[in-house]
Amino acid sequence: MTDQQKDFQELARKFAREEIIPVAAAYDRSGEYPVPIIKKAWELGLMNSHIPEDCGGMGLGIFDSCLITEELAYGCTGVQTAIEANSLGQMPVIIAGNDAQKKKYLGRMTEEPLMCAYCVTEPGAGSDVAGLKTMAVKKGDDYVVNGQKMWITNGGKANWYFLLARTDADPKCPASKAFTGFIVEADTPGVLVGRKEMNMGQRCSDTRGITFEDVRIPKENVLIGEGAGFKIAMGAFDKTRPPVAAGATGLAQRALDEATRYALERKTFGKLIAEHQAVSFLLAEMAMKVELARMGWQRSAWEVDSGRRNTYYASIAKAFAGDIANQVASDAVQVFGGNGFNSEYPVEKLMRDAKIYQIYEGTAQIQRLIISREHFSRFKK
Amino acid sequence: MSRVLVGVKRVIDYAVKVRVKPDHSGVVTDGVKHSMNPFCEIAVEEAVKLKEKKLFKEVVAVSCGPAQATETIRTALAMGCDRGIHVEVTGKDYESLGPLQVSKIFAALAKKEEASLVILGKQAIDDDCNQTGQMTAALLDWPQGTFASEVEIEGDKVKVVREIDGGLETIKINMPAVVTADLRLNTPRYATLPNIMKAKKKKIANMKPADLGVDIVSRLEVLRVDEPPTRLAGVKVETVDDLVAKLKESGTI
């Protein structure tokens, strides 16, 4: 790592230890959106790192952002997801927006601590993006949108959304042409924000259903053009999956550290549990998984920063990190024994927080589909 | 009235469990996390605040030590210092570097840089000497305001509120002066990401003590370093009478 990267990592680490960790458990219990932490992170420049410099951002590469993300996730993945969802919402604009759209919607993110959201999933379609039903119909110079979105992170806090909606009603139209990407201001009439959903983990993150009832979007807010939406939505993932993998790695590292600390304190059968091979082997395997998950996100981030298509590596990184985060968190609870199951100890939260990493940003199963497809295509070359 | 010199020391991080080397010649530093001395962070914060109030034009961060000292200077730059000076001291010289030599270096630099104010941390958390600020002032024949919990510039004087055993003492001293920062002087800022990036472009000058005409030969020899004795278990007693009896028994009263 360069000295600058070490400094970034050090800043994020300090922030996580001093600002996030002390309050994470309270936010988990209350489910309250961590506004003060987000505001401080924004002030320090820990958010919105991908925004290009000409829009007031720092134009950091994916590797540098992942360094920061992993450190914040170590503190609390609920907080980190709220912050990361901004990157996901912004990515379509960063990769596909024209200058006016970038200046308008990315610029405002660096002027005030605003949130945005990526609005694609629906109650009836998550993995099957081609099955989206939200319709956008052209009426004069506007598009009128009707439909329902679900599980939108930052749904209730966003200033604007990246929205994917169907613009070609013909069921025979291929997915690659049927959808359009829009930028929607959250205060547009007809945008109805649902209730905050109470989830298993990452509870302080704001997840909601959003209903679009005759919402008018000006044509200036179309990204690229009609029919280009699917490619944009999927293209964003190549850049956002490495940070999600980094987040899962941060959680896993935290679980490993907590379990290790406990193992070096707790005694049983006359010695420290760390001196019992069953426990030390468990910790060793946890360590293996954390290190490999880290290398996974690093490779995928480096590939995309080097200008290469990283879909294969990004999927592998996300799939692996999501899976091991769950394993390592569960093992951490195991190391803590009865105490681990209890809310006074930090590991049960990690186990609850970890599960979503196998679901959002492309399920573990979808990742395997992508990896196998990429793998065969490479093999055949 | 233009320049502030701030001293920053690279020390073992406050959160690290310090271990004595097996040969008792010192503590283990290899591979151990180091960071800026917490009191030096407070000193940097104060200097940067004074510059932001437009009371000074430039803040120069100085550190004495091996190559890694530049990391500490970089942190100071990221917090808002304008440039840095790395006085290179390595190997055995660095191991024997103490407040007397450092204060000679700072005194020389304060004159060279024509500083109006030198701000240091009150002490370093590794040696707890609490001497460098005072010695620097004496060598320069400048007034000193130590253990500062409040610093205010009033024209060409500095008003310093000092934390002393009996409470707080307020003094007014002429500039140029040396001030040492105590815990409650301020809360150091985080370096922001954009400032970390900007710090890369700021200059760090490199020099040796000899360039300043300073002799850093130490007049002290460390004989031995030991860990504090392990705390013995106490004894619990049931009543006050028992306590008095036990104290009498042990000859304490």
Side-chain angles (χ1 to χ4, degrees):
Chain A
M1 282 197 291
T2 65
D3 283 337
Q4 185 178 266
Q5 285 170 330
K6 284 190 201 149
D7 284 346
F8 287 168
Q9 188 187 50
E10 193 53 49
L11 171 64
R13 190 168 290 185
K14 192 170 174 203
F15 184 80
R17 301 278 190 285
E18 290 177 17
E19 304 289 336
I20 300 180
I21 291 182
V23 292
Y27 276 114
D28 175 64
R29 275 192 296 273
S30 71
E32 193 190 324
Y33 198 65
V35 176
I37 303 181
I38 291 178
K39 188 155 179 284
K40 260 199 195 133
W42 180 85
E43 280 166 11
L44 294 178
L46 293 169
M47 264 169 72
N48 304 329
S49 49
H50 308 104
I51 293 181
E53 287 181 73
D54 60 11
C55 296
M58 277 168 308
L60 288 189
I62 301 296
F63 191 99
D64 289 5
S65 321
C66 287
L67 272 174
I68 296 169
T69 301
E70 189 189 319
E71 297 298 328
L72 296 180
Y74 185 100
C76 173
T77 47
V79 173
Q80 183 269 323
T81 292
I83 293 175
E84 195 57 40
N86 259 19
S87 299
L88 183 55
Q90 291 160 10
M91 208 50 81
V93 181
I94 294 174
I95 61 178
N98 60 39
D99 282 338
Q101 290 164 336
K102 280 190 201 170
K103 284 251 154 58
K104 185 170 180 191
Y105 291 102
L106 300 177
R108 65 171 73 163
M109 307 298 285
T110 55
E111 283 162 23
E112 289 176 65
L114 297 174
M115 308 309 285
C116 65
Y118 182 90
C119 222
V120 172
T121 301
E122 294 181 358
S127 297
D128 185 16
V129 177
L132 290 187
K133 293 216 159 48
T134 300
M135 278 295 308
V137 179
K138 192 114 196 278
K139 286 215 170 100
D141 268 356
D142 294 341
Y143 287 84
V144 177
V145 179
N146 277 283
Q148 265 206 305
K149 296 294 183 184
M150 191 55 182
W151 308 125
I152 308 305
T153 306
N154 281 341
K157 308 290 173 189
N159 174 270
W160 56 266
Y161 306 109
F162 163 74
L163 172 71
L164 194 68
R166 188 175 261 279
T167 34
D168 191 320
D170 182 357
K172 291 209 200 75
C173 180
S176 55
K177 296 206 177 77
F179 298 97
T180 306
F182 299 93
I183 305 170
V184 185
E185 302 259 8
D187 60 4
T188 312
V191 174
L192 304 167
V193 172
R195 66 164 188 215
K196 176 188 157 76
E197 295 294 335
M198 304 308 282
N199 292 325
M200 175 179 160
Q202 297 193 7
R203 289 164 46 91
C204 70
S205 174
D206 183 90
T207 323
R208 302 191 189 230
I210 317 259
T211 307
F212 291 81
E213 226 172 69
D214 291 333
V215 175
R216 286 196 160 258
I217 308 175
K219 68 175 197 292
E220 290 77 40
N221 281 20
V222 171
L223 285 165
I224 297 184
E226 240 185 76
F230 190 81
K231 198 160 171 226
I232 300 171
M234 296 301 110
F237 284 143
D238 283 346
K239 298 209 165 189
T240 55
R241 272 177 191 153
V244 172
T249 307
L251 185 153
Q253 181 70 61
R254 175 79 185 277
L256 174 60
D257 286 355
E258 296 287 350
T260 308
R261 195 172 305 138
Y262 187 82
L264 292 169
E265 285 168 7
R266 176 88 178 177
K267 281 196 168 147
T268 193
F269 296 109
K271 49 186 181 174
L272 293 171
I273 64 170
E275 290 167 46
H276 291 279
Q277 221 170 48
V279 174
S280 68
F281 276 20
L282 197 57
L283 289 168
E285 284 172 16
M286 288 159 74
M288 285 157 67
K289 290 168 181 170
V290 172
E291 294 298 334
L292 293 172
R294 184 166 297 127
M295 286 160 72
W297 72 247
Q298 288 183 339
R299 177 68 186 269
S300 64
W302 177 72
E303 288 287 331
V304 75
D305 281 346
S306 304
R308 293 187 285 274
R309 187 169 168 273
N310 73 333
T311 311
Y312 175 71
Y313 294 104
S315 270
I316 289 179
K318 197 268 174 183
F320 187 77
D323 288 349
I324 65 102
N326 277 272
Q327 293 162 18
V328 172
S330 175
D331 288 342
V333 172
Q334 194 66 18
V335 170
F336 272 73
N339 286 338
F341 197 67
N342 176 270
S343 53
E344 294 278 310
Y345 293 83
V347 285
E348 58 82 27
K349 172 179 179 289
L350 299 177
M351 199 172 149
R352 285 186 288 108
D353 286 346
K355 188 57 194 166
I356 194 65
Y357 279 110
Q358 289 177 310
I359 301 173
Y360 67 18
E361 198 87 20
T363 61
Q365 288 67 34
I366 287 291
Q367 303 300 341
R368 282 158 172 80
L369 254 171
I370 296 173
I371 295 166
S372 59
R373 194 182 57 205
E374 292 287 319
H375 170 67
F376 285 127
S377 122
R378 293 164 135 231
F379 192 81
K380 286 177 187 157
K381 284 211 177 89
Chain B
M1 217 48 49
S2 63
R3 204 167 282 136
V4 183
L5 215 68
V6 184
V8 294
K9 187 178 181 188
R10 179 175 180 265
V11 298
I12 295 179
D13 187 84
Y14 76 88
V16 168
K17 231 186 209 147
V18 178
R19 264 172 251 281
V20 175
K21 282 201 245 195
D23 65 0
H24 292 275
S25 64
V27 297
V28 177
T29 52
D30 272 347
V32 170
K33 177 160 195 263
H34 284 65
S35 26
M36 190 190 291
N37 181 38
F39 294 108
C40 298
E41 281 181 355
I42 298 175
V44 171
E45 174 65 26
E46 197 61 25
V48 173
K49 279 209 327 225
L50 289 172
K51 189 186 103 158
E52 285 169 348
K53 286 192 201 147
K54 305 255 198 289
L55 294 163
F56 292 92
K57 287 220 193 78
E58 200 187 27
V59 180
V60 184
V62 183
S63 194
C64 307
Q68 296 96 317
T70 53
E71 288 165 19
T72 312
I73 299 175
R74 235 197 3 259
T75 307
L77 296 176
M79 283 172 74
C81 296
D82 298 293
R83 60 184 166 88
I85 299 177
H86 171 215
V87 181
E88 212 176 322
V89 181
T90 55
K92 283 265 171 288
D93 286 336
Y94 180 58
E95 280 170 36
S96 65
L97 194 69
L100 181 57
Q101 301 102 308
V102 173
S103 50
K104 284 183 189 169
I105 293 171
F106 278 169
L109 278 172
K111 283 205 210 106
K112 183 166 182 275
E113 294 287 336
E114 294 174 320
S116 321
L117 199 59
V118 175
I119 310 186
L120 307 174
K122 71 170 179 182
Q123 65 198 59
I125 60 171
D126 51 6
D127 53 21
D128 279 332
C129 282
N130 181 5
Q131 297 167 12
T132 307
Q134 293 86 334
M135 284 181 177
T136 307
L139 287 168
L140 288 165
D141 197 25
W142 286 6
Q144 57 184 264
T146 53
F147 309 108
S149 65
E150 245 184 81
V151 170
E152 247 186 76
I153 307 294
E154 290 179 5
D156 58 351
K157 299 196 204 303
V158 193
K159 190 177 94 176
V160 182
V161 176
R162 306 179 57 231
E163 298 212 2
I164 60 175
D165 286 344
L168 296 173
E169 180 194 53
T170 308
I171 60 171
K172 208 184 253 191
I173 54 180
N174 292 328
M175 284 200 275
V178 176
V179 169
T180 71
D182 207 326
L183 189 64
R184 278 161 280 271
L185 179 57
N186 61 48
T187 306
R189 64 191 65 187
Y190 287 105
T192 68
L193 226 77
N195 282 344
I196 292 175
M197 286 168 79
K198 283 194 202 128
K200 262 200 326 189
K201 302 198 185 97
K202 295 181 182 172
K203 286 199 167 54
I204 301 180
N206 185 291
M207 57 185 74
K208 299 213 166 44
D211 299 335
L212 297 164
V214 172
D215 141 44
I216 54 166
V217 168
S218 175
R219 286 140 175 86
L220 297 175
E221 188 194 331
V222 173
L223 297 175
R224 195 184 158 87
V225 177
D226 285 303
E227 277 177 19
T230 32
R231 216 179 141 182
L232 298 165
V235 177
K236 275 202 184 132
V237 291
E238 294 291 298
T239 68
V240 176
D241 289 331
D242 282 351
L243 176 61
V244 174
K246 279 236 174 320
L247 287 172
K248 281 200 172 135
E249 210 179 280
S250 71
T252 316
I253 54 174

